[in-house]
């Protein structure tokens, strides 16, 4: 999942590991190593690691397919630095859709489709209840929420380019959001 805690943790752990590697490579003699050299190299390595991590968390290009009572701010698919997202079979991907609701709603339900040749094919997701997917229900008008879900890509799926349509319905069956984004499923 691409969140700031994950970015920070990757930043720290990768930076320390890379910094230690660089220090060992730079100084062959232990007498040459000092605390400031180690810290400087660790910070530099951590910055490089953080920039790579943030690059894998870029918002994807999406099309609003009919959000009636909400406004989408961004769509993020983890490990998708560019569009279309390349999804490998046998992996799970975290989807984070940030939106602002224009209505109150006691509950919300997600539906996902793979659109092939303009035909929407239902796509099962592990949890359809939006209130169990990062949203604290009840939803309040004017509040911003992050809907977070998992997209499992099964080994049996064919290799193909497909449009994913992700909907979140309010308790009155209105679209809190409807987004489409391109993916490529491959081995």
């Amino acid at each position: 999942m691409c969140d700031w805690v994950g970015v920070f943790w990757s930043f720290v752990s990768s930076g320390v590991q890379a910094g230690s590697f660089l220090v060992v490579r730079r100084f062959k003699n232990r007498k040459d190593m000092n605390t400031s050299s180690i810290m400087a190299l660790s910070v530099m390595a951590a910055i490089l690691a953080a920039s790579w991590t943030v690059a894998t968390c870029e918002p994807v290009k999406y099309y609003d397919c009919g959000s009636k009572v909400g406004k989408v701010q961004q769509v993020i698919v983890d490990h998708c630095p560019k569009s279309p997202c390349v999804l490998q079979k046998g992996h799970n991907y975290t989807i984070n859709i940030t939106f602002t609701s224009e209505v109150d709603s006691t509950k919300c339900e997600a539906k996902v489709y793979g659109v092939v040749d303009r035909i929407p094919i239902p796509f099962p997701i592990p949890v359809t209840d939006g209130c169990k997917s990062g949203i604290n229900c009840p939803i309040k008008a004017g509040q911003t929420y992050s809907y977070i879900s998992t997209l499992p890509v099964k080994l049996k799926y064919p290799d193909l380019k497909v449009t994913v349509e992700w909907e979140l319905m309010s308790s009155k069956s209105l679209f809190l959001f409807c987004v489409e984004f391109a993916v490529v499923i491959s081995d």
Side-chain angles (χ1 to χ4, degrees), residues 78-96:
D78 70 339
H79 305 293
C80 176
K82 63 180 183 170
S83 293
C85 294
V86 177
L87 307 181
Q88 291 184 324
K89 295 177 192 176
H91 292 85
N92 292 328
Y93 294 87
T94 301
I95 311 299
N96 184 337

Side-chain angles (χ1 to χ4, degrees), residues 7 36 62 71 113 142 151 155 183-184:
V7 169
S36 63
Y62 68 91
K71 178 158 177 42
Y113 300 92
L151 181 67
L155 291 170
V183 302
V184 175

Side-chain angles (χ1 to χ4, degrees), residues 18-82:
S20 300
F21 174 75
L22 289 171
V23 168
V24 170
R25 295 278 302 162
R26 170 71 176 90
F27 300 103
K28 293 180 182 176
N29 186 344
R30 283 183 161 247
K31 290 186 283 183
D32 292 339
M33 291 192 296
N34 61 41
T35 305
S36 63
S37 297
I38 293 170
M39 286 302 294
L41 288 171
S42 293
V43 167
M44 183 173 46
I47 290 169
L48 289 171
S51 64
W52 177 83
T53 302
V54 171
T56 64
C57 299
E58 289 293 314
V60 299
K61 293 178 185 173
Y62 68 91
Y63 168 75
D64 188 307
C65 52
S67 303
K68 297 291 185 198
V69 293
K71 178 158 177 42
V72 176
Q73 274 77 44
Q74 68 178 2
V75 176
I76 295 176
V77 179
D78 70 339
H79 305 293
C80 176
K82 63 180 183 170

Side-chain angles (χ1 to χ4, degrees), residues 112-187:
V112 180
Y113 300 92
V115 181
V116 180
D117 292 330
R118 296 188 296 223
I119 299 170
I121 300 165
F123 192 93
I125 54 174
V127 178
T128 59
D129 185 350
C131 299
K132 294 179 181 175
S133 299
I135 298 174
N136 291 322
C137 291
I139 293 172
K140 299 290 180 193
Q143 297 290 317
T144 300
Y145 298 91
S146 286
Y147 167 84
I148 300 167
S149 186
T150 301
L151 181 67
V153 181
K154 298 183 179 177
L155 291 170
K156 66 181 180 179
Y157 292 161
D159 290 354
L160 79 138
K161 186 173 184 175
V162 64
T163 299
V164 173
E165 181 178 307
W166 211 295
E167 306 171 351
L168 188 66
M169 305 292 278
S170 72
S171 53
K172 294 183 179 176
S173 298
L174 299 172
F175 287 130
L176 288 164
F177 66 73
C178 179
V179 295
E180 292 181 345
F181 54 93
V183 302
V184 175
I185 297 175
S186 69
D187 289 323

